[in-house]
């Protein structure tokens, strides 16, 4: 959240808001819309790889699918492939979701709807992060091993 606050991006908020309206059940896609540009904040000046950097940053916290969707925003030459495996059904689903993300990104650039406040997204970030942890992500956000979740509220 600190990184998102520091780089306050109304375009990302509008993108996520559009995805919330068009795909309300796909929480991971909404977060990919919110987070896909954080690579620009992580390593300013390395714009060519921003989607790859963002994907690497969100994977330990939010799981493989959010990372794949963020990474799919990169041109094919720089992404090194979508990664993650999972078969043809998952690849088709992610390709469709990535196209929806790109459409929302473009629509948000044309002064899309009010994206609301960044804090409005905190509960969803926490929900998806908790689900990712339960699903067995092997490492924590700083690369340290994650233990079992004992407090699931």
């Amino acid at each position: 959240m600190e990184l998102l606050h520091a780089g306050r991006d109304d375009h990302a908020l509008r993108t996520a808001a559009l995805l919330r309206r068009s795909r309300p059940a796909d929480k991971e896609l909404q977060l990919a819309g919110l987070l896909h540009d954080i690579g620009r904040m992580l390593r300013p000046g390395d714009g060519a790889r921003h989607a790859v950097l963002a994907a690497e940053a969100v994977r330990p916290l939010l799981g493989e699918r959010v990372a794949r969707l963020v990474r799919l925003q990169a041109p094919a030459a720089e992404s090194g492939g979508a990664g993650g495996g999972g078969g043809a059904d998952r690849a088709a689903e992610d390709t469709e979701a990535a196209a929806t993300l790109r459409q929302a990104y473009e629509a948000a650039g044309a002064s899309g709807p009010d994206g609301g406040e960044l804090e409005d997204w905190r509960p969803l970030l926490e929900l998806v992060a908790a689900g990712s942890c339960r699903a067995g992500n092997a490492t924590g956000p700083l690369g340290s091993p994650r233990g079992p979740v004992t407090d699931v509220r």
Side-chain angles (χ1 to χ4, degrees):
M1 286 302 292
E2 289 178 31
L3 180 62
L4 292 172
H5 279 293
R8 171 118 171 113
D9 184 355
D10 290 332
H11 185 258
L13 285 168
R14 287 192 306 268
T15 300
L18 283 167
L19 291 165
R20 181 180 273 170
R21 290 183 181 129
S22 67
R23 301 277 294 269
D26 196 342
K27 307 303 186 198
E28 294 168 324
L29 177 61
Q30 295 166 29
L31 291 182
L34 181 66
L35 301 168
H36 73 277
D37 270 344
I38 66 166
R40 295 181 201 276
M41 293 177 274
L42 292 169
R43 203 173 298 159
D46 196 359
R49 290 182 24 105
H50 79 275
V52 174
L53 294 169
E56 291 170 359
V58 302
R59 178 176 289 109
L61 292 169
L62 300 172
E64 190 61 41
R65 182 162 184 261
V66 176
R68 269 195 316 272
L69 292 171
V70 167
R71 185 179 210 120
L72 283 170
Q73 297 311 297
E78 73 189 44
S79 71
D89 289 342
R90 179 177 288 171
E93 175 186 314
D94 285 351
T95 300
E96 178 185 333
T100 301
L101 174 54
R102 273 188 226 95
Q103 291 169 348
Y105 181 83
E106 291 170 11
S111 67
D114 177 23
E117 297 296 322
L118 184 56
E119 282 299 318
D120 296 343
W121 292 94
R122 183 183 293 272
L124 183 58
L125 282 161
E126 291 173 351
L127 177 73
V128 172
S132 175
C133 184
R134 281 192 302 273
N137 266 358
T139 60
L142 300 176
S144 58
R146 255 193 189 145
V149 176
T150 56
D151 182 18
V152 182
R153 295 177 196 183

